Amino acid sequence: MTSQKTIEDISLLGGHPALDFVNTVDSRGERWGPEFLNTYSDLVTWARRLEVIDDDEQTVLLSKAMESPVQAQRELVQARELREALHRIFLTESDEASVGEEDLALLDRAVQPAQSQRRLVSVAGTIRWRHPPAEQLDAIAYRIGWLAAELLTSKTERRPIRACQGPNCGWLFLDHSRNGHRRWCSDRTCGSNARVRKFRALVMVNKP
């Protein structure tokens, strides 16, 4: 992960939209940041990349943000607060710690509107949940909250959540490795960097 990247091209390594949402901070390791959600437009761009919203909803939300920039900024700040609460909640799974009551309450507040607004529909013979059109600036946060809640309540039916052990990473991901002990968000980036550091350390130790 590098500071030159933007919300349009950051890697999506979480394996689930809620985890990729938490990963919109470049590093959560020895350093924090930089931040990728700098504007409400960034939030909309991310949501479209992850198919949290569709093209029409993207257009509507960007138009709303232009009409109400103060409210859009407020919704961005609240979305980032939700993100940080989700990060702390997800970490309790791998740390086997208790979830903070304030964090759970914040998530619950995001879930309730989505839960009350969703409807069962039949699509091509399959019954599924459907959100109403995203027409308000808080719609993305509500949908993220619902996705996160679904992930958290399906713990016994899915792979475990891990945090990358890269010193300048800390991204979260679903561990689909065979033994369930994956250490890196990506073997090509953090995993490769770890092997290089290990090799250099061995060279220094064995250097005459």
Side-chain angles (χ1 to χ4, degrees), residues 107-145:
L107 173 57
D108 186 61
R109 289 194 296 273
V111 171
Q112 292 302 323
Q115 186 173 18
S116 64
Q117 295 171 12
R118 299 214 317 175
R119 296 292 181 267
L120 285 172
V121 297
S122 178
V123 180
T126 301
I127 297 176
R128 63 183 63 178
W129 286 106
R130 175 175 290 175
H131 291 284
E135 298 176 339
Q136 302 302 321
L137 293 172
D138 54 11
I140 294 175
Y142 292 161
R143 291 188 183 182
I144 294 169

Side-chain angles (χ1 to χ4, degrees), residues 44-115:
V44 173
T45 297
W46 174 89
R48 184 66 195 98
R49 283 190 69 191
L50 274 294
E51 298 184 350
V52 175
I53 58 175
D54 61 27
D55 287 338
D56 291 340
E57 292 171 324
Q58 180 181 31
T59 300
V60 169
L61 291 176
L62 289 176
S63 178
K64 287 272 188 179
M66 291 184 64
E67 294 172 1
S68 307
V70 174
Q71 182 183 355
Q73 179 63 25
R74 183 166 58 248
E75 294 299 336
L76 172 66
V77 171
Q78 292 178 354
R80 291 197 299 228
E81 290 174 352
L82 173 62
R83 180 190 63 189
E84 296 310 299
L86 289 176
H87 179 252
R88 292 188 292 269
I89 291 172
F90 287 137
L91 279 184
T92 63
E93 182 172 316
S94 57
D95 295 342
E96 298 184 353
S98 298
V99 176
E101 291 186 7
E102 291 185 4
D103 289 336
L104 191 59
L106 193 156
L107 173 57
D108 186 61
R109 289 194 296 273
V111 171
Q112 292 302 323
Q115 186 173 18

Side-chain angles (χ1 to χ4, degrees), residues 1 18-37 79-88 90-91 163-172:
M1 280 60 82
L19 299 180
D20 283 318
F21 179 61
V22 170
N23 294 343
T24 54
V25 174
D26 189 54
S27 173
R28 292 181 177 278
E30 294 177 353
R31 62 177 173 83
W32 192 98
E35 169 72 72
F36 287 121
L37 295 180
R80 291 197 299 228
E81 290 174 352
L82 173 62
R83 180 190 63 189
E84 296 310 299
L86 289 176
H87 179 252
R88 292 188 292 269
F90 287 137
L91 279 184
C164 181
Q165 296 182 25
N168 282 316
C169 186
W171 277 18
L172 303 183

